[in-house]
Amino acid sequence: MAQPFRTAEGGRIDRSRSLAFTFDGREMRGHPGDTLASALLANGNRLVGRSFKYHRPRGLLAAGGEEPNGLVRLRRGGRAEPNVRATLAELYDGLTAESQNRWPSLNFDLGAVTGLATPLFPAGFYYKTFMWPPAWWPAYEGVIRRMAGLGRAPAAADPDRYDHRHDHCDVLVVGGGPAGLAAAQWAARTGARVILADEGSEFGGSLLSGNESLDGKPAMAWAERILAELAAAGNVHLLPRTTVSGYYDHNYLGMLERVADHLAEPADNQPRQRLWKVRAGQVVLATGALERPLVFADNDRPGVMLASAAQSYVNRYGVRPGDRAVLVGNNDSAYPAALDLAAAGVRVAALVDLRPEAHLDWLARLDEQGIEVMAGRAVTGVEGRDGVRGVRIAKLSDDGKGIVGGVGREVECDLLCMSGGWTPSLHLFSQSGGKLLWDEGLASFRPGEAVQAVRVVGAAAGRFDLTACLAAGAEAGNAAANDSGHRRRGRGPRRPTAEEMPPPLAARPMFLIPGGRGKRFVDFQEDVTAADLQLAVREGYRSVEHVKRYTTAGMGTDQGRTTNVNALGVVAQELDVSVPEVGHTTFRPPFSPVTFGALAGRQVGELLDPLRRTPMHGWHQANGAVFEPVGQWLRPYYYPAPGEDMQAAVNREVKAARHSLAVMDATTLGKIDIQGPDAAEFLNRVYTNGWKALKVGSCRYGLMLGEEGMVMDDGVTARLGEGHFHMTTTTGNAASVLAWLENWSQTEWPELRVYCNSCTEHWAVVSISGPNARKLMAELCDDVDLSPEAFPFMTWRQGTVAGLPARIFRVSFTGELSYEINVPAGCGLNLWQTVLAAGEKYGITPFGTEAMHVLRAEVGFIIVGQETDGTVTPLDLGMDWIVSRKKDFLGKRSLSRSDTARDDRPQLVGLLTEDPNLRVPEGAQLIPGSDPRPPVASQGHVTSSYESPNLGRTFAMGLLQGGGERHGEVVHVAFDGRAAPATVTAPRFFDPEGSRARG
Amino acid sequence: MARYSIFALARNALRRHRDWPLAWRSPEPKAAYDAIIVGGGGHGLATAYYLAKRHGITNVAVLEKGWIGGGNTGRNTTIVRSNYLHDESAGIYDHALKLWEGLSQELNFNVMFSARGVINLAHDEHEARELRRRVFANQLAGVDAEWLTPLQLKEFCPILNVDPGMRYPVLGGALQRRAGTARHDAVAWGYARGADGRGVDIIQNCEVTGFDIRDGQVRGVRTTRGEIAAPKVGVVAAGHSSVLAEMAGLRLPIQSHPLQALVSEPVKPVMPTVVMSNAVHAYMSQSDKGELVIGAGIDSYNSYAQRGSLPVIEETIQAVVELFPITSRLKMMRQWAGIVDVCPDASPIIGLTPVEGLYFNCGWGTGGFKATPGSGHVFAHTIARDEPHAINAPFTLDRFHSGTLVAEHGAAAVAH
Ligand SMILES: Cc1cc2nc3c(=O)[nH]c(=O)nc-3n(C[C@H](O)[C@H](O)[C@H](O)COP(=O)(O)OP(=O)(O)OC[C@H]3O[C@@H](n4cnc5c(N)ncnc54)[C@H](O)[C@@H]3O)c2cc1C
């Protein structure tokens, strides 16, 4: 198939192979080495998208990452990706792309009717209207939303994988153009570890698109030699297709490597993209400069592009971006571009130089090609809506603010190349905290003082002479390596010399070209015109940040790369101040948009968060347990028998514990090993009760309070030795309690000799509970005297259980006779199975967390985080007995604050609904009256609510204002518009004396 | 003040938009005012607006060290809701929500309040219990709240993942339909224009560097643009409140942390509501412009550096991709941070201080944008009358002595 705009020869494409692709369903062909953008141009397809606000037809402005218009939706299905820059999308066989933001089609877009009403849509118009009638706003908003947005998100999940990689290097060189290559070469020669990253698919930067020579040979030959040297060196990592996107504190940089985006799909085991997180000793930024558009009427028509882009299309991709070109510039750049276009067979109709005088050396060269040069003139308008058909050229007044000598003359062409000067690419430098300085000659910012270990070289530093860039790169690479402690032995690499260029003639900064009637775009992607910026200033939005936010200039996916300086220029002109007085907006990461999937890496799906399972997990699974997540753990919730629903299963489990024997996997409880001569003193300070007198071999229940006096955690701690304790915490708080202990021991009480270690994972815990628990223990353990006298409640013994070394704790959370058997984690499953086998004769029943909750609630035990919410004191829970009056402890002082000491605070109570079958939802509110219609002041809430097979009815606990004194009173439980009467009781429903656990 | 409307747009279009008046003036500071507001964020500007509008106090200056709205007002993820747990909070946040509902008309500036609903997800039994508790409490307080099952959630927000096989499955969620989002900049600008139109001076690039306090009474402030006298000074400086308090010899129980946020590239509408998840930790909505607006966590250290870092963003995006799998191939376009002022009970401080004539409004932490109109309204009352409005009476500085806290950790979390 013909590619009518392909040049006869040249370019870095592989003409021997042809690749098929489609754009909006149209089948076309290109070559390896093409981007989607160059291939579209080769096929004569210039219309690539519709603009954001006015839906104006748009073509390609650039050839690189700064492209604002050519955003397409690439691939299909789960691999579809919106807002892909066609200029960075490498062509592969079978590529499919679609244009965006148009309906029904790119050529016929109904959205363009907004274009007719454009006078009504200046910057910020939406702040001024859509307010009446107020009820219509949702409808207005619906329309606004549908008109806005760029591409469509995919509809299916992403099948690809993303990796993360952490790395260190001595010198990170960003940008693989001549300056960057020289820097990398010189740094590498010292032996320093070097990373060289470049956004493009090939290294070479500007050399790829130009036709400079070095030492008389094509400059790319030099680049290839350096690359070969770097590739062969063991200390260099070359990363093409890698965008350095964020420069954070302490020389920490984020980079996105597009590993497989140039393929139809990633190969097996290949990630699609990889996020690099690099801690660099030194950074060399050789990020180049970007050409600026000129701001004249209808400067956004398809066929208007940057001169450097046109050069890149002919030289690098072998594509003629048009048949007949006009070039316009305020600096020298348009001249070589004109020559390159002519050489590629484009007819160059004219070169328009905004400067009063043409550049004579260049003029002579253009003359040889028969190209007319028109100085002191500007392009003031463009003919053609869907593509340039001609341009209007008029004479500028001396001050550049007006047009003289009539509307000028029209020149026919289908391509207009512009150069408004160069903007050093300083996003990363600015992100690093570096200051930017205004450079009058450049009419742009250049790097000022750095605050991190970073150097800026080449065009990024405002240098455009190749020999000088190479020298600066070499020097920076060498110095960076030296600063990271590496020195070169022997002489450095030879420095090449570029061919002599005509000496530059000063540019004529001109941020706004007068004349013409069409819109003058400053931000192509955001559809912001010079008039919008002027309006913002006139309305008082004077801070550059206000202008940006009011007009949205610079806020697009291209980060305003081709916009910012022009916008500042226009604003400065309107405010009648200099650009540095206007200042610039903050550069925020990322430099280029970064894929969510890449940021997430492998931590998605199952790997989102580490999943913790106990050693008995497999057994639970095999035996049909339903699990519930508790923190990172999965715990058995209940074990339904065939045909059983949750309630039936829970009732069965609860009954087993009360009547015979039940067993639970209690491994997840937090466990902290505390040692040191001051361990008892330490516990005495962190718990509300006394710990010094606890005997070795005994256990004690403890409550911890936060500094504000509120219950934070609870658990049983055992004294293993004089200076050795085994603390247990709630499952969910294990980590935060350890952090709390460490905080106090390390920063507040460093004088205490105490050491805390998490040992949660070291122990598997099997908890047996029920009247037959001792009988079962007797069968499994013969080296501990199990009699109640020898091994009473709240003590622990070291022994052998089922042949395994074990710590046995006689503690109980169910209110039944219980033993918590701790064995080394690896023995957990063994113990669990032995216990189950031996307990068969007692009908031993595994129980999950829900049955445990019912059992503990029946006997009035609290769960931290359920009966408490960070606002509950021990006194509110009726647990005065555990709060020492004699000693000090964390949170004690707060208990005497006037509010904390109030006696009508919400206090823990039991609640029995009038209807014994009504199980009120947890969280339901407690109100005095029976009318739940708002507004009603709540007096508390239900914290726990269950059905109890032992009580033969439902029961609940709750926090009720002054509840301690209200037993016997009837309150109402309010939820979902209902109010159910319930009697307030003591929060204990079963075995009020607690004799069963002690037995 | 020229009115904004479609007719005004049409009229001005004929004159090529050359005659629009200034939204607000940029006057030189006067030597003295009746009242000074320190901090030109949404809260400060709203305070000035209501001082002028409701209390007739128009000789007022708002002093802003940078550009108005450049603090957290212009950095937040714009979630507006009122489904807090306690009656005191419901009082102020719902007062604000009611003002939001008519704010565009009140200010004659479209703040684009979009009542698209806010959903809080529960991923385990504990969260479900706490969220239901909040729903039941809201029902009594007259704040709209309902509980949705996973299937109902999926219907309300089709891109939400409710697969029971998720690492942290969605058990349900609480929905407040009246809640939503608004356009943050517009709030600052709308209040600024409204205040300016009533005579308030909005003075940017004017940093307060000290207070003139004599005999326990404030007399004025020192600024980078000279001394300015006033018998009443209201400080609304968000993340920098402690810094200003120190200048007045006060200590606040506030910690300042960077809180991060990010937006994706704009896409066509996919996200019809706001979804917040604490357990998996992400918050997401979609702006009118099409960007997915995502709230991340706070950095784990205190700082005044208003810049984003990478690790917090990675964690947030993991959660976003988990909750909304179709976002995996979308791209982050911008990230940033703001400094949030967090009180121990996650509720604000709005009221008098031990210095006569000096008032503080701060501690809004990660979630004060939603309160902007209500906060400004009651703070203006407090300044004008030298006593709190009933709505902000519970939010005294003194509560940290008495312990009468308004604990909203559950409702506020690191949430917005
Ligand atoms: C990333 C992020 C996301 C958030 N998301 C939400 C959300 O979704 N919903 C929500 O409700 N809230 C959210 N918040 C919180 C919300 O932004 C704030 O609570 C609220 O905007 C505070 O408003 P303000 O006017 O008090 O503060 P600001 O807007 O910060 O205004 C304070 C002003 O004081 C100025 N100032 C400081 N010191 C001085 C001085 N010495 N002199 C003069 N001026 C001074 C500052 O420059 C600043 O402009 C979020 C915050 C952040 C950072």
Side-chain angles (χ1 to χ4, degrees), chain A residues 583-737:
Chain A
H584 60 85
T585 57
T586 314
F587 290 88
R588 287 172 175 158
F591 170 62
S592 265
V594 180
T595 316
F596 279 15
L599 288 164
R602 296 285 187 96
Q603 269 118 292
V604 287
E606 255 210 322
L607 301 182
L608 177 70
D609 206 24
L611 182 62
R612 297 167 84 187
R613 304 180 180 93
T614 73
M616 294 82 111
H617 187 86
W619 188 94
H620 303 318
Q621 227 168 0
N623 287 273
V626 173
F627 293 91
E628 85 163 318
V630 182
Q632 291 174 324
W633 292 96
L634 273 190
R635 298 193 72 180
Y637 197 13
Y638 56 98
Y639 300 81
E644 254 181 355
D645 66 6
M646 172 167 175
Q647 194 59 56
V650 170
N651 285 352
R652 177 174 49 75
E653 292 169 16
V654 167
K655 273 194 265 184
R658 289 277 181 251
H659 297 296
S660 177
L661 190 59
V663 59
M664 122 166 273
D665 177 357
T667 303
T668 64
L669 271 192
K671 300 182 256 324
I672 300 172
D673 188 79
I674 301 176
Q675 299 194 35
D678 296 321
E681 169 63 25
F682 181 65
L683 291 178
N684 215 41
R685 296 184 188 182
V686 297
Y687 278 130
T688 59
N689 48 353
W691 286 79
K692 291 213 179 141
L694 185 69
K695 290 198 188 60
V696 174
S698 283
C699 309
R700 185 162 283 173
Y701 173 78
L703 272 186
M704 274 180 214
L705 310 186
E707 284 164 288
E708 68 299 338
M710 305 300 158
V711 173
M712 192 181 89
D713 202 61
D714 70 344
V716 170
T717 293
R719 191 161 201 167
L720 305 182
E722 235 359 87
H724 191 186
F725 291 82
H726 175 87
M727 174 187 277
T728 63
T729 73
T730 57
T731 297
N733 282 344
S736 58
V737 168

Side-chain angles (χ1 to χ4, degrees), chain A residues 83 101 119 127 131 141 148 151 158 248 277 431 526 538-539 546 549 594 596-597 609 869 899, chain B residues 17 23 68 105 110 114 129 133 167-168 183 185 265 268 288-289 307 314 328-330 332 335 402:
Chain A
N83 306 339
N101 201 34
Y127 299 123
M131 287 179 280
E141 195 190 18
D158 186 350
Y248 305 94
K277 294 177 269 185
Q431 281 181 31
E526 296 285 303
R538 277 203 304 279
E539 287 195 85
H546 284 152
R549 285 159 179 257
V594 180
F596 279 15
D609 206 24
D869 61 0
D899 189 76
Chain B
H17 300 288
I68 59 169
Q105 289 74 26
N110 195 344
S114 172
R129 183 185 309 119
R133 174 183 174 196
R167 174 69 184 84
Y168 290 106
R183 173 90 186 102
D185 292 328
E265 297 182 342
K268 293 289 175 193
D288 280 348
K289 209 178 153 204
R307 54 196 253 121
E314 286 172 37
S328 174
R329 292 177 96 91
L330 301 185
M332 168 170 87
Q335 66 168 117
S402 69

Side-chain angles (χ1 to χ4, degrees), chain B residues 37-46 62-81 84 93 100 180-181 184 188 203 205-211 222-224 235-241 243-244 247 257-262 274 276 283 285 293-298 306 336-341 361-372 375 414-416:
Chain B
I37 304 298
V38 183
H43 288 229
L45 293 162
V62 177
L63 307 183
E64 166 55 49
K65 72 172 173 189
W67 37 285
I68 59 169
N72 291 346
T73 297
R75 294 166 185 269
N76 79 96
T77 48
T78 82
I79 297 173
V80 173
R81 61 188 175 88
Y84 281 64
Y93 291 108
W100 276 113
T181 56
H184 50 20
I203 298 161
N205 300 313
C206 179
E207 179 171 358
V208 170
T209 54
F211 294 94
R222 285 188 286 281
T223 79
T224 47
V235 179
V236 210
H240 288 77
S241 297
V243 179
L244 280 147
M247 295 176 196
H257 303 268
L259 175 67
Q260 299 202 43
L262 66 118
V274 184
M276 319 178 47
Y283 314 95
S285 63
V293 180
I294 294 170
I298 56 171
Q306 297 189 101
W336 66 90
I339 305 305
V340 295
D341 41 337
N361 181 349
C362 57
W364 291 99
T366 58
F369 176 70
K370 62 178 71 64
T372 305
S375 155
V414 189
H416 314 301

